[in-house]
Amino acid sequence: MIDTLLDWVSLLVRWTHVMAGIAWIGSSFYFIALDAGLRANPRLDPRVKGEAWQVHGGGFYNIQKFSVAPEFMPEHLTWFKWEAYSTWIFGFILLVLVYYLNPSMYLIDPAVLAMDPLNAVLFAAGSLAAGWVIYDLLCRSPIGQSTVRLATAGFVLFVAATFAYTHIFSGRGAFIQAGALVGTIMAANVLFIIIPNQRKTVAALLKNQPPDPAWGAQAKQRSVHNNYLTLPVLFTMISNHYAFTYASHWSWLILACIFVASFLVRHWFNTVHTGAIPDWRLWPAAVVPVLAAVALSIIGQSSAPIGSADAAAVTFADVKPIVDQRCHVCHSIRPRFPGFSEAPKGVMFDTASQIRLQAPQILAQAVRTHTMPLGNVTQITDTERATLGAWIQAGSRVE
């Protein structure tokens, strides 16, 4: 019963994290599009930068943006912050529940680096804070005065962090850490820069003082950063379902390629909102790094032998003990491994027919990419992987 309750906690935390993320990303996309779509109108208050007319749900909306702030404090002011805070809070709780409480299973891979579980967790959590500090210092430095230089420096920082993660943690753990790092930077932008600067503006209005335009400019810079970082973060969130992305020897480069493609796609949408002629060259330009990522995932697969189709000498009798010893401990109707109340993703190897049915996944996860068993906790050998591969390549016969 306890295991089932813990599973419900994990499910509800994940659900809340996703819902909050949708709200946060939605508001980010909307306000960047709104900002880009503003049009100047000389009939408006000189303090108004522009306005936008929009139609939605059968109604018309007229929205105006002040260059800095109105001369008075509105009676009702909506703040956009809890979407960001709740996304990070529940995301971090999920990170702790899945990865930090089970580091030997999901975070550590002895084949990459043998680490003490406590040290692995401390390094993982500490790197999130360190990443934010370095990024914030970059933004405040002279580099931050140039969009191109700052974007380049930020990208280099991300690639360096991803490279380090993939050489310290398991492939899956490295990708989720990279996503957590970017998500932490985004949430910290809201907590430490955007909202405090907005509060300074509000405080100045209440004192009948003119707000400093630099506050809004800095907040806007960080808001734009968050907008461009949304798509890469979403990729890292779903990547754990696709082992070929993080199991490659070039996983850090794969993620770098996805970042470049995401930036190009996001930039296309952001520029389209301005009313400018769409630059369709951005789409084929985005395809190039995606194709590079695909190629890297293929050439970066494990070089260990997977067996051949003519290896008919391998029978199900040879395979069954390997599955029972290395896989069945988790993938069973009644898993024996601590922390599992049910078979992961419902995949079970209790019968010969179940093993045969899942043969393609065994080939992909345990033979080609070596992502299973997680962290190789059951200590499967390359010889055993090759045996599995030979049996599957020969037709997965169970008779």
Side-chain angles (χ1 to χ4, degrees):
M1 184 180 73
I2 297 298
D3 289 340
T4 301
L5 291 176
L6 290 176
D7 286 342
W8 266 106
V9 170
S10 178
L11 170 61
L12 294 175
V13 170
R14 189 184 300 273
W15 189 24
T16 306
H17 171 59
V18 171
M19 288 191 295
I22 291 172
W24 185 15
I25 293 172
S27 63
S28 173
F29 283 7
Y30 174 72
F31 277 103
I32 292 295
L34 174 62
D35 227 29
L38 293 171
R39 300 293 181 267
N41 187 340
R43 294 176 299 176
L44 298 175
D45 188 317
R47 290 181 293 269
V48 173
K49 179 181 180 180
E51 68 173 354
W53 282 89
Q54 300 180 353
V55 60
H56 180 75
F60 290 85
Y61 299 81
N62 178 223
I63 305 167
Q64 300 177 0
K65 178 184 177 180
F66 286 80
S67 297
V68 179
E71 62 179 346
F72 61 90
M73 182 63 189
E75 290 185 10
H76 177 72
L77 187 63
T78 301
W79 294 74
F80 290 86
K81 57 181 180 178
W82 287 110
E83 299 92 339
Y85 297 163
S86 54
T87 299
W88 188 89
I89 289 170
F90 286 98
F92 187 75
I93 292 174
L94 191 62
L95 184 66
V96 171
L97 290 175
V98 177
Y99 290 86
Y100 293 176
L101 291 182
N102 300 285
S104 299
M105 177 71 74
Y106 294 106
L107 194 61
I108 300 172
D109 184 350
V112 177
L113 181 65
M115 295 186 71
D116 175 76
L118 179 59
N119 290 337
V121 171
L122 291 177
F123 178 84
S127 68
L128 303 183
W132 154 252
V133 171
I134 296 172
Y135 159 81
D136 187 53
L137 291 174
L138 277 176
C139 292
R140 296 175 186 273
S141 73
I143 294 176
Q145 302 304 313
S146 167
T147 300
V148 174
R149 287 184 302 183
L150 181 58
T152 302
F155 179 69
V156 170
L157 170 64
F158 167 77
V159 173
T162 304
F163 179 83
Y165 284 147
T166 56
H167 287 75
I168 295 174
F169 302 122
S170 68
R172 179 174 174 174
F175 266 40
I176 206 68
Q177 271 293 134
L181 172 62
V182 177
T184 297
I185 288 174
M186 293 171 65
N189 274 337
V190 177
L191 178 63
F192 297 119
I193 302 297
I194 297 174
I195 294 300
N197 284 15
Q198 290 176 344
R199 291 192 183 281
K200 292 176 185 177
T201 299
V202 169
L205 288 175
L206 293 175
K207 296 178 181 178
N208 295 320
Q209 297 174 352
D212 187 343
W215 300 335
Q218 186 188 42
K220 182 62 179 178
Q221 180 194 51
R222 302 300 182 93
S223 180
V224 171
H225 290 179
N226 283 1
N227 181 263
Y228 278 88
L229 291 171
T230 50
L231 297 184
V233 167
L234 289 175
F235 181 87
T236 62
M237 288 175 62
I238 64 176
S239 65
N240 64 86
H241 297 290
Y242 300 92
F244 57 81
T245 60
Y246 58 76
S248 167
H249 296 310
W250 300 104
S251 56
W252 62 278
L253 264 181
I254 290 175
L255 201 51
C257 289
I258 294 300
F259 259 65
V260 173
S262 300
F263 292 157
L264 292 173
V265 170
R266 191 67 239 154
H267 188 66
W268 186 86
F269 280 104
N270 288 344
T271 53
V272 165
H273 293 314
T274 65
I277 298 176
D279 187 352
W280 294 102
R281 296 173 300 177
L282 290 174
W283 284 100
V287 170
V288 173
V290 172
L291 292 178
V294 173
L296 289 168
S297 70
I298 295 173
I299 66 176
Q301 289 182 359
S302 173
S303 58
I306 64 171
S308 59
D310 60 0
V314 178
T315 66
F316 183 69
D318 300 313
V319 168
K320 183 65 162 58
I322 298 174
V323 175
D324 286 344
Q325 185 176 3
R326 311 302 187 188
C327 312
H328 190 250
V329 63
C330 295
H331 292 282
S332 168
I333 192 171
R334 293 183 179 84
R336 301 187 307 278
F337 196 87
F340 285 94
S341 60
E342 59 183 22
K345 296 185 179 180
V347 176
M348 291 177 282
F349 300 138
D350 294 312
T351 66
S353 60
Q354 289 175 334
I355 296 173
R356 188 180 190 282
L357 180 65
Q358 297 296 334
Q361 283 300 314
I362 294 174
L363 183 67
Q365 303 288 341
V367 182
R368 293 189 184 277
T369 63
H370 292 198
T371 55
M372 290 290 172
L374 289 170
N376 198 15
V377 292
T378 57
Q379 300 179 350
I380 189 172
T381 66
D382 286 343
T383 301
E384 290 172 328
R385 293 184 193 274
T387 300
L388 290 172
W391 173 70
I392 296 169
Q393 296 283 55
S396 310
R397 292 188 296 270
V398 298
E399 64 277 0

